[in-house]
Amino acid sequence: MTDILLSFLAIREQPFAFTVYRKLYDGAPKTEDSLWIYPLPEEPGDDEFKRYYVAFEPVPGFVAYECPARANRNLTCRVLTLMVQQRAEAAGIDHSTKLRGFHNSIDLYTESFTKGKRALVLEPYYLESKRQFGFLVDVRFRANKSYPKGDAETLQLSFSNSRNGGVNKNFYGDKYNYVTAQLSRLLPQLGPLAWQDLQLSLVEAFSTVTATTLAKKQYIFKNDNYDYNQFSGIRRYGPYRQGPSDCTFVFILEERYRAFANKLFLSLTGKRNPDTFKGMHEMFQVDIGKNNIVQIPLLDTSEPHLAGAVEQVRQLQTERPNEHLITIFVEENNHADEPGVSETYYYLKYHLTKLQIPLQVLSHEKISVDSTLKWSTSNIGLALFAKLGGIPWIVKPSISNCLILGIGSAHKFNDQGQIERFFAYSVCLDSSGIYRKLEVLADDHSEESYLSALQRNLVSLLGSPEFAGYTKCALHLPFKIKHQEIDSIKAAIGKVRSMEFKVLKINVKNKFFGYSNHNTKTPYASTLVELNPHEFLVWFEGLQQGKEVLNERISPPVHIEFLHSAHTSRESVYPYLQDAINLTGTNWRGFNAKVKVISIYYSSIIADYCTHFEQFPDFRKDMLSLHSPWFL
């Protein structure tokens, strides 16, 4: 296994110390913006810390203190940021600094465009595995507020898209070349970093860190046959669990989309694009033909006509009680910011979910081009099959009998930007990726109560006969929770039964990046880097051994942190990391969806639906607890 070039520039002179000015904290609120509050030892080497007011310039009543860098990492990171800021100002480098709570970073602008600026982002960091302070470095495009995010030009300027507008397969290579070229230009201007008598310099090359590899995901299909690829596996063996045989596909569409709907129908049957999708029957053993298709025409998407369509679906449901209905709605696009688009989507989603009938929405703008439809049909078929209750595949778990709960949350804001309502949901899965249950944790005006709700629900869940066989439990979170809250949950579980319990914070959008020594600079899939005994970087996708050809943009690494968990050996945490990466393989939204861990992804989708469903007066939270994953 090759090592990883972590996008981290270490400080050459280590260990180091710097001078600040401090006074014992007396509990009074801080009144000066130039003062900060940090815990520090009274004498170097003391185990006991006291809270101090800290100033970076001499202040009457404050005492100069020679602060060892490791005495308080947050304080050191703030001082390092200020050192870079001072050098940038002296060198006339266009920049902006963020000093907010524990977050410190500085943008060094490298290029200006009509829609914004490119910036090298330097964020101070202590790399515990090497016991070094330094800076994480990345390139970002900072779009002007007056321009929409995510349009073709800004995606290109952020390296997500290639110069010809397509997906940037050379994402890692382009970023590496740009960042290293800019560092070669800027580092001479930034050195040495100075703080009174202290002078520091940065190593010019990224730090090499040791990497290991987690096991490749193994997918299980019909009759427990397995494969390493979802598409080829389901084509060879069939789905893990069949869907219903008596299905009716209900198309809801305006007349202008009829020709597209006919193309889609032929593509789903396998007659239009058999080289990329052989049909619903061939792939999923679900029949689709003229005898089980119903069309509900829409004059337009005004609410009365949408209500009429929903009523026709309800009548079909009544007339055909033994059939499994699924609806397909064609919309022009999914631009949620355009008038009426979001309202139409959520109106249909809400009212059909209330009838316990799944809905698949398709964007005419995105997939009406023949070549796009050709490659999209397999993903559409997969989502239809899963929403009908079929299980396309599962993954081979690393830990048997492990229950996994993912937490997702969403906020509804009022016109003043204040939180009006807080939603939290948990999705219950087992480590093979099978969806088990959906629970409401919070639907309130504050976030305070959801963890106690989680505790109650977890105890209730583990006490039920249905979940009696589980001996381990992992909680997947997209955010941190306090130590005492984890202890409280552990204590509650302990009253039900003795079981191992781990809490993982899974952060898909994080500050870390890294490169391989391969000429594409892209790491291999399943690469694992240990930042410290509790924090890891994992590449959920990447190069494949023996097939080092990039056909898609590879996502950045995912940061996983074990919260308040004892790290006794690699064996104690690696199986949980393996199951996290495994759960990216059971995202039935598409064959190529590999980055999002479904435990937290699904629960965040559901919480987001709730913020929109709140507008309907008869919304009941229990209507979301269906047996099939309607939210895909």
Side-chain angles (χ1 to χ4, degrees), residues 18 31 35 55 96 130 137 167 205 222 230 241 247 264-265 282 355 382 402 468 507 510 525 527 545:
F18 52 88
T31 55
L35 295 184
S96 66
K130 294 205 164 198
V137 184
V167 172
K222 187 175 183 180
Q230 304 102 311
R241 189 176 77 190
C247 305
L264 172 65
F265 168 70
E282 186 79 17
L355 294 175
L382 173 65
C402 182
N507 189 1
N510 59 73
T527 296
Q545 292 285 352

Side-chain angles (χ1 to χ4, degrees), residues 311-339:
E311 175 57 21
Q312 288 185 65
V313 175
R314 193 194 64 75
Q315 288 175 11
L316 271 175
Q317 187 183 41
T318 304
E319 293 163 4
R320 305 181 184 191
N322 298 320
E323 294 184 14
H324 290 78
L325 271 57
I326 185 165
T327 51
I328 300 170
F329 173 66
V330 180
E331 62 181 359
E332 180 53 36
N333 59 52
N334 53 8
H335 303 167
D337 52 342
E338 290 187 9

Side-chain angles (χ1 to χ4, degrees), residues 514-573:
Y515 306 92
S516 76
N517 289 316
H518 188 266
N519 57 16
T520 64
K521 297 300 175 191
T522 307
Y524 284 86
S526 303
T527 296
L528 173 73
V529 168
E530 184 172 333
L531 299 169
N532 62 45
H534 307 286
E535 296 183 62
F536 302 84
L537 291 184
V538 187
W539 274 263
F540 284 3
E541 56 181 0
L543 290 176
Q544 300 296 319
Q545 292 285 352
K547 298 178 182 176
E548 284 85 356
V549 177
L550 293 171
N551 296 313
E552 58 189 347
R553 174 184 174 274
I554 301 300
S555 299
V558 174
H559 178 248
I560 298 180
E561 181 177 2
F562 287 80
L563 300 179
H564 196 40
S565 298
H567 176 79
T568 54
S569 67
R570 287 186 172 179
E571 288 70 27
S572 69
V573 295

Side-chain angles (χ1 to χ4, degrees), residues 287-450:
D287 289 322
I288 180 170
K290 292 182 179 177
N291 60 337
N292 65 342
I293 289 288
V294 173
Q295 182 186 332
I296 295 178
L298 270 182
L299 190 59
D300 56 45
T301 56
S302 61
E303 186 170 327
H305 289 112
L306 292 175
V310 171
E311 175 57 21
Q312 288 185 65
V313 175
R314 193 194 64 75
Q315 288 175 11
L316 271 175
Q317 187 183 41
T318 304
E319 293 163 4
R320 305 181 184 191
N322 298 320
E323 294 184 14
H324 290 78
L325 271 57
I326 185 165
T327 51
I328 300 170
F329 173 66
V330 180
E331 62 181 359
E332 180 53 36
N333 59 52
N334 53 8
H335 303 167
D337 52 342
E338 290 187 9
V341 172
S342 175
E343 290 84 351
T344 299
Y345 176 84
Y346 288 109
Y347 183 93
L348 285 176
K349 195 76 178 179
Y350 173 76
H351 288 283
L352 291 170
T353 301
K354 200 167 67 166
L355 294 175
Q356 300 193 12
I357 295 174
L359 169 69
Q360 180 70 31
V361 177
L362 302 175
S363 165
H364 179 261
E365 181 185 78
K366 279 190 175 178
I367 61 173
S368 59
V369 177
D370 284 351
S371 59
T372 309
L373 178 62
K374 175 180 178 178
W375 293 105
S376 300
T377 306
S378 59
N379 287 333
I380 297 168
L382 173 65
L384 291 172
F385 175 72
K387 287 178 179 178
L388 281 166
I391 297 180
W393 61 80
I394 61 172
V395 287
K396 182 181 179 181
S398 174
I399 310 172
S400 300
N401 300 322
C402 182
L403 191 66
I404 296 175
L405 283 97
I407 309 293
S409 64
H411 301 90
K412 184 178 181 181
F413 297 93
N414 60 22
D415 294 338
Q416 288 74 44
Q418 299 164 326
I419 295 175
E420 186 177 86
R421 209 161 180 85
F422 174 75
F423 303 92
Y425 276 75
S426 74
V427 170
C428 179
L429 309 154
D430 70 20
S431 48
S432 68
I434 293 180
Y435 168 74
R436 300 297 306 271
K437 204 169 184 179
L438 173 69
E439 292 284 350
V440 181
L441 296 181
D443 177 1
D444 211 332
H445 296 284
S446 77
E447 317 185 8
E448 306 300 328
S449 61
Y450 83 96

Side-chain angles (χ1 to χ4, degrees), residues 76 101 111 118 159 206 222 249 252 309 315 339 364 377 405 409 432 557 574:
T76 303
E111 289 182 278
R118 265 187 181 146
F159 299 105
F206 289 147
K222 187 175 183 180
F249 295 83
I252 303 171
Q315 288 175 11
H364 179 261
T377 306
L405 283 97
S409 64
S432 68
Y574 274 33

Side-chain angles (χ1 to χ4, degrees), residues 3-5 7 172 175-176 179 206 513-517 521 523:
D3 291 333
I4 288 291
L5 284 174
S7 191
Y172 278 73
K175 285 188 67 159
Y176 179 82
V179 170
F206 289 147
F513 207 82
Y515 306 92
S516 76
N517 289 316
K521 297 300 175 191

Side-chain angles (χ1 to χ4, degrees), residues 91 94 100 317 363 411 500 584:
D94 185 16
R100 193 171 53 231
Q317 187 183 41
S363 165
H411 301 90
E500 189 171 280
T584 63

